[in-house]
Amino acid sequence: MTAYTATVTVRLERGVLDPEAETTERALERLGFELEDLRSADRFEIDLDAADEREAADRAGEMAERLLANPTIHDYDVAVEARE
């Protein structure tokens, strides 16, 4: 078994109301920043042991699907790296 850190980033799907991002976007624009769009996200870092990187990613993906994300309104990304 190898030690991995899986990072799961969960965000609302495009088109779903995101009041936190809308408020932040307006504040940034008032500060003079130009941007096309802004989305808020939650990031989870999960330390786990797995046989390989694919298994670690699969387990983190299952965690996202079962608890961390609501598939009706969220999408998510999983990134995995080995820990030393």
Side-chain angles (χ1 to χ4, degrees), residues 18-26 38-40:
D18 188 347
E20 180 181 6
E22 289 175 12
T23 300
T24 304
E25 182 176 358
R26 285 193 304 273
L38 182 89
R39 294 167 66 197
S40 62

Side-chain angles (χ1 to χ4, degrees), residues 2-3 10 12 27 31 35 43 53 59 83:
T2 304
V10 179
L12 292 168
L31 291 171
L35 54 145
R43 182 175 129 174
E53 190 173 313
R59 288 177 51 203
R83 281 187 290 135

Side-chain angles (χ1 to χ4, degrees), residues 30-68:
R30 281 193 304 274
L31 291 171
F33 293 100
E34 295 180 21
L35 54 145
E36 268 186 48
D37 194 22
L38 182 89
R39 294 167 66 197
S40 62
D42 291 318
R43 182 175 129 174
F44 300 91
E45 292 183 0
I46 305 163
D47 291 337
L48 56 109
D49 292 327
D52 56 33
E53 190 173 313
R54 182 174 180 90
E55 180 185 323
D58 288 346
R59 288 177 51 203
E62 183 178 355
M63 291 176 199
E65 288 181 20
R66 294 182 63 190
L67 180 67
L68 303 176

Side-chain angles (χ1 to χ4, degrees), residues 70-81:
N70 176 342
T72 305
I73 60 170
H74 292 123
D75 59 22
Y76 65 89
D77 295 316
V78 176
V80 175
E81 61 182 49

